Amino acid sequence: SMLLWVIALATAVLARGPVPQIRVPLVERMPRVPNNFAAMPWKELAVNYTATVFDAIAQGQYKPLMWWDDSRLDVNQTTFGMPSYVGGNYGGTHHEAINTMAAVMTGLISGANMSNHTGPGYSEVDFVRMLNNYYDVTHNAYVWKNTVDGDGNGEFWYQAWSSMLPLLVAWFQRGPSVLDGNMLSAARSWYAVEVALGGSKSSLPDFNFTGYDFRLHKGVYNGQFTQPVSSSGIAFIMYATRARFGDPDGSLLQGALW
């Protein structure tokens, strides 16, 4: 996806240092602020979105847009769920990390304290801690899963994005996070994936697969498509983890450069 391509480019730039800017005459003649320009009120949208989706007792069609998930599959704590789209599956374990983690991140960006959040129908809930329920322990994958009842396997895009989002959530917390231990462990697991896919001092990992099977420790192809661009997401995981925790043995930087 374009997002992963942008992340890959940014990761490469950060890893190798600043790049000299080239002035393009045609671009220089373009106005800095176009006439009749109107920016979206992003802060207002983020605040309103957070208030809407974290309302546990809202009434109306398809509402409320959140529920409590007490399945306790990998972590012995209640977590929460949201439908992947309005009108989609509701209740139980029918929720995805790429949605709920992004919602928590949006709340943090909008200025809400998502580690001690009070909303309609609840008070002082730690939504950040609840995201740990997506971290796989049961199946020994030790990465973030897209679903609480999954095993960590699936398409590269979902596998990578689910491990990228906790890093972004922690970044917007601006300090130590209850996600830290699992984030560092997940990065080490992804480094092992890169090695299993052929990464070494003399060769690059081969990401030309649909996804990775953490049980068989090999790339898998579904017979329809591959997702090698997801390597950029894994590069982000490596570099962002390195920036947060350090990199004594240099493996995280190597994983980002692969």
Side-chain angles (χ1 to χ4, degrees):
S1 70
M2 179 59 72
L3 175 60
L4 290 179
W5 184 90
V6 171
I7 290 172
L9 179 61
T11 301
V13 169
L14 289 171
R16 291 176 170 82
V19 177
Q21 297 297 303
I22 299 175
R23 302 179 73 87
V24 180
L26 180 60
V27 174
E28 292 297 320
R29 293 199 298 271
M30 295 179 182
R32 298 297 181 187
V33 181
N35 292 330
N36 301 319
F37 174 76
M40 289 288 289
W42 293 113
K43 178 64 178 292
E44 179 183 345
L45 289 173
V47 170
N48 291 340
Y49 173 83
T50 301
T52 299
V53 300
F54 284 99
D55 185 337
I57 56 175
Q59 297 183 350
Q61 188 177 23
Y62 305 126
K63 293 182 178 180
L65 292 173
M66 65 161 290
W67 63 85
W68 306 112
D69 176 0
D70 203 37
S71 59
R72 301 172 181 258
L73 297 177
D74 273 288
V75 181
N76 187 26
Q77 66 177 8
T78 298
T79 187
F80 73 104
M82 295 177 176
S84 299
Y85 54 90
V86 175
N89 290 327
Y90 283 68
T93 59
H94 294 293
H95 50 90
E96 295 186 89
I98 60 173
N99 185 26
T100 56
M101 288 185 181
V104 171
M105 182 177 68
T106 300
L108 291 167
I109 293 172
S110 71
N113 181 358
M114 302 307 294
S115 295
N116 187 22
H117 191 61
T118 295
Y122 59 90
S123 62
E124 300 181 348
V125 172
D126 190 344
F127 285 101
V128 176
R129 182 178 297 275
M130 288 180 173
L131 299 182
N132 278 313
N133 287 47
Y134 290 104
Y135 183 79
D136 182 82
V137 176
T138 304
H139 305 93
N140 301 316
Y142 303 112
V143 295
W144 301 89
K145 306 176 295 186
N146 188 42
T147 58
V148 293
D149 56 355
D151 57 7
N153 297 324
E155 297 177 21
F156 263 141
W157 189 92
Y158 288 101
Q159 291 176 309
W161 192 222
S162 298
S163 286
M164 292 165 64
L165 280 166
L167 288 156
L168 296 170
V169 169
W171 169 261
F172 286 109
Q173 282 188 282
R174 307 300 186 190
S177 173
V178 294
L179 308 178
D180 281 344
N182 287 341
M183 287 190 296
L184 184 57
S185 176
R188 290 171 176 157
S189 294
W190 279 114
Y191 179 81
V193 169
E194 291 187 293
V195 172
L197 294 177
S200 69
K201 292 182 178 180
S202 59
S203 62
L204 297 174
D206 180 8
F207 285 97
N208 196 31
F209 295 98
T210 305
Y212 188 80
D213 190 318
F214 286 94
R215 294 165 298 187
L216 301 177
H217 303 289
K218 67 177 186 178
V220 293
Y221 175 51
N222 66 359
Q224 296 178 300
F225 58 84
T226 60
Q227 297 184 331
V229 72
S230 295
S231 59
S232 58
I234 297 171
F236 173 86
I237 294 167
M238 296 294 156
Y239 193 82
T241 304
R242 178 179 186 267
R244 186 170 182 84
F245 300 106
D247 187 17
D249 63 359
S251 61
L252 296 175
L253 179 59
Q254 180 60 65
L257 294 175
W258 273 337

